[in-house]
Amino acid sequence: MQEEIIDDIELLLNVLPAEIRKALDAANRKEELLEVVLDLGRLPEARFSTTEALLSQREITHEELEFVASRIGEFGEDNRAGIERTLHRISAIRNRKGHIVGLTCRIGRAVYGTVDIIRDIVESGKNILLLGRPGVGKTTMLREVARILADNKRVIVVDTSNEIAGDGDIPHPAIGKARRMQVPTPSLQHEVMIEAVENHMPEVIIIDEIGRQLEAEAARTIAERGVQLIGTAHGNTLDNLMMNPTLCDLVGGIQAVTLSDEEARRRHTQKSVLERKAPPTFDVVIEIQDWQRLAVRHDVAEAVDAILRARSLPAEMRYRDEEGEIHREEAVIQTLADRNGVSTTQTAPPWEETPPARHARTVRIFPYGISQNRLRQAARGLQLPIILVPDMGEAEAVITLRSYYRRRPRVVTNAERRGLPVYVLRSNTVPQMEQGLLDIYGIEHGDIDDPHTRAIKETQTAIERIVSGGASSVELAPQNSYTRRLQHQLARESDLLSRSRGKEPRRRVRIYANNTLG
């Protein structure tokens, strides 16, 4: 099915000041228009899908803001308003006296055909949670899900900000036969969710932006009553949602568990681990990466357990090509722990081997008292093949921390008696582990010239400049989140301040002298 887009954009343009409307007409890019931003005392701006453009060289006045506000619906407690029977949303910024000083006019579009890529999942009757960054199409997809399911089922849309079914008392045709319940104020969204189940006998409830603890609890109540629940939540990915203490209950919640000595030895992990504490509210999680590509976690319980155990669990990737054909393939989705080099809980089996690397010789290492996940991350970053073994008798080297080595435990003395080299780290950090691995392989830092190493060198050089008084601050080149984390860590170890700036993929770190920031 080809996508069909209905946006009623002329109705939104009619509420704008004449000069701004003429500028938009002259730009002739209405199909790409996402937002019109009007801020008091600033130049009006249009935001398109790939660029931004000024609409006038004259600053916005109070009168122009009032002109727009008087031609749209009333603003709710969430400072959102709309235009009756359209999907457009106008959001206000107010000063401390409650007067409007800024407006964001967002174009609402009903896109028919977007749900085809997940139609089999939607019609399966499972509870589905959609995740993704703002503007990626979550609400658009919810809208069409409501229309498709309402042909055969009783569907109720809980519409907190009138964003799904539009402003006014009559719902937008984009939701089909689905019924819409409006929410008087966002803080009462959970009550309307429960009211919908108790009063109107729905088979499906659709809810946008589950963001509070009470709403998460209401969602679980609805799921337990056998009603299909389809919603969206704040979060880009599943592991990102798991780290949100308010919303992690949607995927079962996480609790710390202390294992017995025998169970810890069986799992080859520490005694204190994190585990899922309940069945997930949602059966399926769909991570929307962009308008034409998404990742499907068909079994949320299994996916959460795999992330907590630092295992790679393939997800189903679905995407639509330029001809509109839908493709499916299996792929391993990188978790937050992988990206940041931090373990969220217990480690994977310690005999697991790191991926093949540039150096042919594989070293078998017995880690004692250090994070095995971080050690694997360090090996991957340096492209050094290692195998972490559970028995020192199988090892070629031992790595431990200085605090353990000073105590002279039996592991250390036995290793030295057998002639095994013992490498001692100052701290349980990835940079220290990288240095230890380089020592094991007899490699100098200069022998490895990859982007990660260059970024670390750049950071060290910047720190030296600031410490020596040659600069009060230095901005580093853009890097991925894992490398930025290491850069922040190096700055802290040198008693310096650091901040991340910009947006992906140009997000970067700036390092400051300790007395630069107040």
Side-chain angles (χ1 to χ4, degrees):
M1 176 179 176
Q2 293 293 321
E3 290 187 0
E4 179 186 356
I5 301 176
I6 298 176
D7 56 18
D8 301 316
I9 194 170
E10 292 298 326
L11 295 177
L12 176 64
L13 297 182
N14 286 339
V15 308
L16 298 176
E19 182 181 355
I20 294 174
R21 169 162 188 169
K22 289 178 181 178
L24 288 170
D25 288 336
N28 196 26
R29 298 176 61 187
K30 296 176 184 177
E31 65 278 356
E32 301 177 51
L33 184 62
L34 299 180
E35 291 178 337
V36 176
V37 177
L38 310 176
D39 285 333
L40 181 65
R42 292 185 176 181
L43 303 181
E45 182 180 276
R47 296 175 180 171
F48 300 97
S49 54
T50 56
T51 59
E52 299 176 355
L54 295 178
L55 298 174
S56 172
Q57 293 303 315
R58 188 176 56 80
E59 296 177 349
I60 293 295
T61 63
H62 275 296
E63 290 73 19
E64 288 172 315
L65 294 177
E66 290 299 326
F67 175 83
V68 176
S70 66
R71 297 163 67 89
I72 60 177
E74 293 184 5
F75 285 97
E77 290 188 13
D78 57 356
N79 277 314
R80 291 180 178 181
I83 301 171
E84 190 164 348
R85 303 200 73 176
T86 75
L87 302 175
H88 307 309
R89 187 182 77 193
I90 295 90
S91 302
I93 299 176
R94 299 179 183 270
N95 63 15
R96 286 185 292 180
K97 295 181 179 180
H99 299 150
I100 295 175
V101 295
L103 291 173
T104 303
C105 307
R106 186 173 183 179
I107 312 302
R109 292 181 170 92
V111 185
Y112 297 89
T114 60
V115 83
D116 290 349
I117 198 169
I118 57 167
R119 186 160 187 160
D120 59 318
I121 304 173
V122 169
E123 294 178 342
S124 68
K126 294 181 178 179
N127 297 329
I128 303 168
L129 181 65
L130 304 178
L131 301 177
R133 67 182 186 277
V136 81
K138 299 188 298 296
T139 304
T140 301
M141 190 169 284
L142 269 189
R143 199 176 289 127
E144 193 179 7
V145 165
R147 180 180 63 83
I148 296 260
L149 292 180
D151 287 339
N152 302 301
K153 294 183 177 181
R154 298 186 299 274
V155 178
I156 286 187
V157 174
V158 178
D159 203 1
T160 305
S161 301
N162 289 348
E163 193 169 359
I164 300 179
D167 206 46
D169 293 334
I170 302 175
H172 192 278
I175 67 169
K177 298 178 182 178
R179 304 176 75 189
R180 188 261 297 269
M181 292 184 66
Q182 296 178 319
V183 180
T185 176
S187 61
L188 298 178
Q189 178 171 285
H190 64 286
E191 294 186 6
V192 178
M193 292 168 65
I194 298 300
E195 178 187 339
V197 177
E198 293 178 342
N199 292 354
H200 304 289
M201 295 183 61
E203 295 175 283
V204 182
I205 283 189
I206 291 177
I207 174 73
D208 196 13
E209 293 187 5
I210 300 173
R212 299 179 176 88
Q213 180 66 38
L214 290 173
E215 293 156 15
E217 293 173 358
R220 178 171 292 278
T221 299
I222 292 171
E224 290 173 351
R225 296 188 184 190
V227 177
Q228 183 182 6
L229 181 63
I230 302 176
T232 68
H234 302 291
N236 295 345
T237 61
L238 175 58
D239 54 313
N240 179 258
L241 188 70
M242 289 168 57
M243 298 182 67
N244 185 328
T246 303
L247 299 180
C248 66
D249 282 347
L250 295 175
V251 292
I254 300 172
Q255 63 183 354
V257 175
T258 301
L259 305 177
S260 65
D261 292 339
E262 181 179 351
E263 179 65 14
R265 281 194 297 271
R266 187 184 68 81
R267 296 192 186 188
H268 302 283
T269 185
Q270 64 266 33
K271 292 186 64 175
S272 181
V273 299
L274 298 179
E275 289 191 345
R276 178 171 51 85
K277 64 181 179 181
T281 301
F282 291 91
D283 306 305
V284 180
V285 164
I286 299 174
E287 302 170 3
I288 304 176
Q289 299 176 351
D290 57 45
W291 278 89
Q292 306 296 346
R293 187 177 182 88
L294 49 84
V296 182
R297 307 274 194 175
H298 286 282
D299 189 331
V300 173
E302 186 179 2
V304 170
D305 292 344
I307 292 173
L308 290 176
R309 287 165 174 76
R311 295 200 311 263
S312 296
L313 183 68
E316 184 186 20
M317 301 298 302
R318 298 188 180 190
Y319 62 94
R320 186 184 281 108
D321 61 22
E322 295 179 356
E323 286 72 36
E325 293 294 323
I326 296 173
H327 301 269
R328 303 181 185 183
E329 60 186 38
E330 192 175 86
V332 175
I333 305 299
Q334 191 181 36
T335 66
L336 197 65
D338 293 332
R339 292 191 290 271
N340 293 342
V342 178
S343 170
T344 54
T345 181
Q346 66 200 72
T347 61
W351 52 84
E352 180 180 318
E353 185 174 355
T354 59
R358 71 175 98 185
H359 295 271
R361 185 172 68 90
T362 299
V363 177
R364 306 173 71 85
I365 297 175
F366 179 73
Y368 182 69
I370 67 172
S371 168
Q372 296 175 23
N373 276 353
R374 294 182 186 180
L375 184 56
R376 289 191 187 88
Q377 185 69 38
R380 282 195 294 268
L382 296 174
Q383 299 184 35
L384 297 174
I386 63 172
I387 298 178
L388 305 187
V389 296
D391 186 354
M392 190 175 63
E394 305 173 18
E396 301 173 65
V398 175
I399 298 183
T400 189
L401 294 175
R402 182 165 57 185
S403 57
Y404 286 104
Y405 184 80
R406 285 174 175 172
R407 299 174 195 167
R408 305 298 296 171
R410 183 177 299 178
V411 169
V412 171
T413 56
N414 286 348
E416 292 177 340
R417 190 179 301 117
R418 296 183 185 185
L420 285 177
V422 178
Y423 294 86
V424 181
L425 310 181
R426 291 199 310 271
S427 59
N428 197 19
T429 61
V430 173
Q432 278 287 298
M433 294 175 188
E434 288 179 341
Q435 184 59 58
L437 290 173
L438 292 175
D439 291 341
I440 290 175
Y441 277 86
I443 299 172
E444 295 292 334
H445 260 295
D447 296 337
I448 294 187
D449 186 24
D450 56 27
H452 172 74
T453 304
R454 288 197 298 271
I456 297 303
K457 286 181 180 178
E458 180 192 19
T459 308
Q460 293 168 339
T461 301
I463 289 173
E464 290 173 2
R465 283 185 60 198
I466 296 173
V467 170
S468 64
S472 59
S473 67
V474 176
E475 186 166 285
L476 306 177
Q479 302 292 343
N480 60 37
S481 59
Y482 167 63
T483 303
R484 291 198 306 271
R485 181 178 175 276
L486 295 184
Q487 291 173 329
H488 286 303
Q489 187 171 328
L490 288 172
R492 284 196 303 271
E493 291 175 354
S494 299
D495 198 26
L496 299 177
L497 302 175
S498 60
R499 298 285 187 273
S500 290
R501 300 158 54 87
K503 298 180 179 180
E504 300 289 0
R506 301 291 299 169
R507 194 158 174 80
R508 57 207 177 275
V509 171
R510 178 179 281 272
I511 301 177
Y512 304 84
N514 217 338
N515 58 356
T516 303
L517 296 180

